[in-house]
Each structure stands twice: as structure tokens, then as C-alpha cells.
Amino acid sequence: MSTPTTPLLLIGNINSYFSAKVRSYLNWRGLNFEEVHPDNDMYRNYIMKVVGVAQIPVLVDQERGENVFDTSLIIDYCEKHYAGKRSVHPDGKKQMYLGFLLEAFADEWMKLPAMHYRWSFPEQLPFLINDWMALLTPTASEPSDVIKKSMSGLKGVLPVIGVTPSTIPSIEKTYLSLLSSLSDHFTKHDFLFGSMPTLADFSFAGPMYAHLYRDPIPGKIMKTDYPRVAQWLERLMLHSKPRRGPVNWIVKEGKLQKATTSIQSDDEFANDGIPDSLRKIAGFFFDEFVPILSDVHQKLQEFVSRNKKVQAGTSPIPRMIGKSKIVVGGVSGSCGVMPFSLWKLQRADAYLKSIDQSEKQDVLHYYESEFQTGKDLTRILQTTPKLYLYKGTKLYLKEQPTLNTPKL
């Protein structure tokens, strides 16, 4: 494994959804990095300059002179330049495809429970205020107007993403059901795809650790009622070592010796296997997220057909292109239509296009036969136009050579 001599700089925060995803990956990869907590000046005079919007995380590679935004692009960048012997992806074709699907689910759909449990409970506001103050204004005794405005703005996002009084009960019910399925899986496995963490684990670390483990109210639920999920996060964030992974040391004839055996079997994952416990977790993607993606797909097609400049690639697709229906746990509500979720999904499609046609058909056949919305997902992947990401949030239908920023 290569690692930069000069530390990579991860501009992020401990309470940041997406910083947790990248931090857990960088720690696992063993890369030389330093986390930088941005203050208001850094947001204005650096992040806005290199990304175009005030968003974190940003990875700064000092040796290569690169600024990389978006968690997926950051991980891809590190895998390209600083890869180790072990891939961030599982070994099998069906497994790797599922890994990308779970990344999209964790990055996009999991915002619903993560944002709800952070901002819908006034009783944990003192914790959140002190968290923000410690990061942005560590010497202040009272929250600044900037912090108050920032927190109010984040809470105001709830109805935009679909967290409303009508959907909150079903969001909570679906989230607790997901925790139960994850808990069942971690009864037998240390990580989602066996004895080693993968992209899917790191992706779930974003919402699960930063919001749902650290924040007081959801943290109590997870640690009290679903402790195996909390323990998985602690393994993932390197707070504790895997319990069923390779045994590093044993006692032999009264002396400590390194062991070469393992007390965990990955047999269920052999030959590209998808264990029943993982299949149940995948079901949340297909049952809850695919219908949302299908609606976004339709709304994007309608939007593009009405906008000649977007078709020509001379204007970006807005971050939100209207409102639509959202269904969570069978309960309907409303939300904004965010085409960015389709950009994230393209990673799965790009992977399918990289493998042999026969292998691709085997993968698609498995998911189409196992899940009711499997064919809907295939249709979405095959008919969504190629999207290009620039400057943090700007999506185009054509490449933009003059915008010299990382893109998928």
C-alpha cells in the first residue's frame, strides 16, 4: 500500500454525515491524513472557492495539488492513487453491484431517519448547540447568529426531503426495522460482507455514526435496543477490534503467540453468495428507495424535455426540479425531486458496464428475480441519461471541459 508522505487533509466535522463515511474509510485504509475542522472563514474563503458550495467533506491532497469533493469521488480517488492489497469492494459480481446500491441507499435515503432524529427532538438541542459551538466557535460562551442560522436552515430541510408529520411515524418504523435486520446480520458477521469492511459499511457509517449513534436520542435507541449495530459501528470506526475476525494473538504453552487461524467463517459469501440476512437489508433499498428513484427518473425526463439548454449541456440541472410524492413504509408524503440521487446510482450502472455481458445478465437476473422492483431498477439504470457532476452540486448532461473539477 502506498500512502502520501505529506498528510492528506480531510476537511470535515465529527457531527457531519458524510465526513464519517470518508473518515472510516481513510482509517481502514491506513492512510496518512489529518482532519481539519473548518471555521466560517475556511468555508467562505476556501471551500466555496474549490467546491462552489459550502459543503464538506473535502479531501485535499497536498502532494498532488488536488481538491476532491463528494464522498464517492474521494474514495475512488484514494483507491486509484493509494490502493492497498485489499479492495474496498466485496469479491463477487452480485456482491459488488449490491455494494454500490447500498452506497446510494445510505447516502440518499438514510437522510430521512438521520435528519429526523437529529432535528425533530427539541430536548437534544443543547447537545447540538454545544457540538456546533465546539467546532465553529470554540472560544464562545453563547451560540453565534451564524450557528443559529445554520441550524435553523438544516432543520428547514426536513419537509424538502420528505420528513413531515405524516411520514415521521413510518420513517421511524422503517428505520427501526432496518436496525433489527442489521442486528440479525451482525449476530453472525462483523461487517456487511463478512469479516472485512467494504464501501457499503463506510457508506452506512455516514448517517449511522454521525447522527444516529452520536446524537443523544437516536444513540440511546441504538445502544439500548440494537447494541450489535452500535458495536458494528465501533468496529468500523476503529474504536474496537473485530470480535470474529482473524485472531491476532493466542496463548500457547503459557506464552503469547500470533495466530494464523480465524474464528469467523465467510462461507456464506463464497461463490458470490448473498446470505439471507444481507438479502433482507438489500430489501430496504428495493422496497423503499427504488420507487423514489423511479419517480425522480420520470420527473428528470420531463424536466429535460422542457429545457433545451439542459439538453444541449450548456446549463446545469438544478439541485431540485420540483416536488413529488414520497412513500415511506407504505405511507405517502411529499418531497423535493433531487436528480443527484440518480447520479449516485450511476456508479452501479458504471460497474455493470465494466463487466462481461454474460456476467451482467447474471447479476441483473438475480436481482430482478429476487426483488419485486428489480426490473424497475434495471429500467431506471438503462434509460437515465449520463450525468456529470461539477463544483459539488452542478449536474450536466454533457462534460464541461472548462470546469476543471473532479467528476465521475
Side-chain angles (χ1 to χ4, degrees):
M1 178 190 72
S2 61
T3 189
T5 303
T6 304
L8 300 169
L9 301 180
L10 174 62
I11 304 178
N13 284 333
I14 194 169
N15 62 11
S16 159
Y17 189 123
F18 289 108
S19 296
K21 176 182 176 182
V22 177
R23 185 189 309 113
S24 62
Y25 163 78
L26 293 174
N27 280 327
W28 168 77
R29 184 54 85 193
L31 295 182
N32 180 17
F33 81 99
E34 178 181 343
E35 187 159 350
V36 178
H37 295 163
D39 57 13
N40 294 326
D41 181 66
M42 187 176 296
Y43 271 110
R44 286 192 303 267
N45 297 316
Y46 191 82
I47 296 174
M48 287 293 295
K49 179 180 178 182
V50 301
V51 180
V53 292
Q55 74 174 29
I56 54 175
V58 178
L59 186 77
V60 182
D61 188 335
Q62 300 180 90
E63 290 183 4
R64 295 178 176 273
E66 297 281 355
N67 296 283
V68 191
F69 62 87
D70 187 83
T71 57
S72 299
L73 298 180
I74 290 172
I75 291 175
D76 285 352
Y77 177 88
C78 292
E79 287 294 289
K80 177 180 179 179
H81 295 292
Y82 305 112
K85 294 181 180 179
R86 172 76 187 185
S87 172
V88 74
H89 303 289
D91 296 331
K93 301 294 190 298
K94 296 196 301 287
Q95 294 169 353
M96 189 166 173
Y97 178 66
L98 178 57
F100 285 118
L101 300 183
L102 292 178
E103 179 192 33
F105 179 82
D107 281 6
E108 300 300 313
W109 189 92
M110 283 297 296
K111 291 174 184 175
L112 294 172
M115 293 293 283
H116 160 59
Y117 278 104
R118 170 160 288 181
W119 297 112
S120 297
F121 297 89
E123 55 267 44
Q124 72 180 5
L125 193 58
F127 171 84
L128 298 176
I129 290 174
N130 278 277
D131 226 15
W132 254 256
M133 289 175 60
L135 292 167
L136 297 177
T137 56
T139 61
S141 58
E142 296 291 334
S144 66
D145 290 341
V146 172
I147 288 178
K148 292 178 181 178
K149 183 178 179 180
S150 175
M151 295 179 73
S152 176
L154 288 167
K155 185 175 181 180
V157 170
L158 293 183
V160 177
I161 64 174
V163 180
T164 64
S166 65
T167 60
I168 282 174
S170 58
I171 289 172
E172 292 184 352
K173 182 179 179 181
T174 303
Y175 169 63
L176 296 179
S177 180
L178 173 62
L179 285 183
S180 179
S181 294
L182 287 166
S183 182
D184 289 344
H185 183 74
F186 295 135
T187 301
K188 298 178 66 176
H189 305 286
D190 274 337
F191 301 102
L192 286 170
F193 286 91
S195 59
M196 295 290 289
T198 63
L199 176 66
D201 294 275
F202 304 130
S203 300
F204 270 108
M208 289 290 197
Y209 181 77
H211 287 233
L212 299 165
Y213 176 93
R214 285 192 71 249
D215 290 359
I217 288 177
K220 181 179 179 181
I221 293 171
M222 182 188 293
K223 295 168 190 175
T224 302
D225 299 333
Y226 305 94
R228 292 192 188 98
V229 180
Q231 291 160 356
W232 156 72
L233 278 171
E234 289 164 357
R235 292 192 293 273
L236 192 61
M237 304 306 290
L238 300 186
H239 293 176
S240 65
K241 300 186 73 173
R243 295 174 300 169
R244 295 178 295 271
V247 181
N248 293 324
W249 294 90
I250 61 173
V251 178
K252 188 174 182 179
E253 297 178 354
K255 296 182 179 180
L256 291 174
Q257 293 187 8
K258 273 195 172 183
T260 57
T261 58
S262 174
I263 58 174
Q264 175 176 346
S265 172
D266 280 346
D267 289 349
E268 288 188 284
F269 296 94
N271 301 315
D272 207 7
I274 306 292
D276 288 343
S277 58
L278 182 58
R279 185 190 175 282
K280 290 179 181 177
I281 296 167
F284 288 89
F285 170 88
F286 284 93
D287 295 342
E288 298 294 332
F289 197 33
V290 170
I292 296 173
L293 291 168
S294 182
D295 193 68
V296 174
H297 172 266
Q298 179 183 340
K299 295 294 192 299
L300 177 61
Q301 288 185 320
E302 294 170 356
F303 178 85
V304 170
S305 69
R306 299 192 303 266
N307 291 270
K308 301 299 183 183
K309 290 184 177 180
V310 170
Q311 292 177 33
T314 56
S315 292
I317 300 167
R319 184 74 170 177
M320 187 170 77
I321 57 174
K323 291 186 178 181
S324 184
K325 182 180 74 172
I326 184 174
V327 179
V328 184
V331 176
S332 297
S334 64
C335 68
V337 180
M338 311 289 188
F340 184 81
S341 59
L342 294 176
W343 177 84
K344 186 70 67 169
L345 190 66
Q346 281 185 160
R347 291 166 58 74
D349 186 49
Y351 170 67
L352 287 177
K353 290 176 179 177
S354 73
I355 61 178
D356 292 341
Q357 185 65 22
S358 61
E359 295 173 326
K360 173 182 175 179
Q361 292 306 316
D362 288 344
V363 170
L364 291 177
H365 175 73
Y366 173 81
Y367 289 101
E368 288 175 2
S369 61
E370 287 290 322
F371 298 98
Q372 188 174 357
T373 59
K375 291 184 178 179
D376 291 333
L377 175 62
T378 300
R379 172 184 56 81
I380 294 167
L381 290 173
Q382 292 177 346
T383 58
T384 298
K386 174 72 173 177
L387 300 171
Y388 299 90
L389 178 68
Y390 295 90
K391 284 290 183 182
T393 60
K394 293 184 182 296
L395 291 174
Y396 289 84
L397 292 183
K398 293 185 178 180
E399 290 188 270
Q400 306 294 313
T402 59
L403 297 180
N404 188 25
T405 54
K407 56 185 182 296
L408 181 65

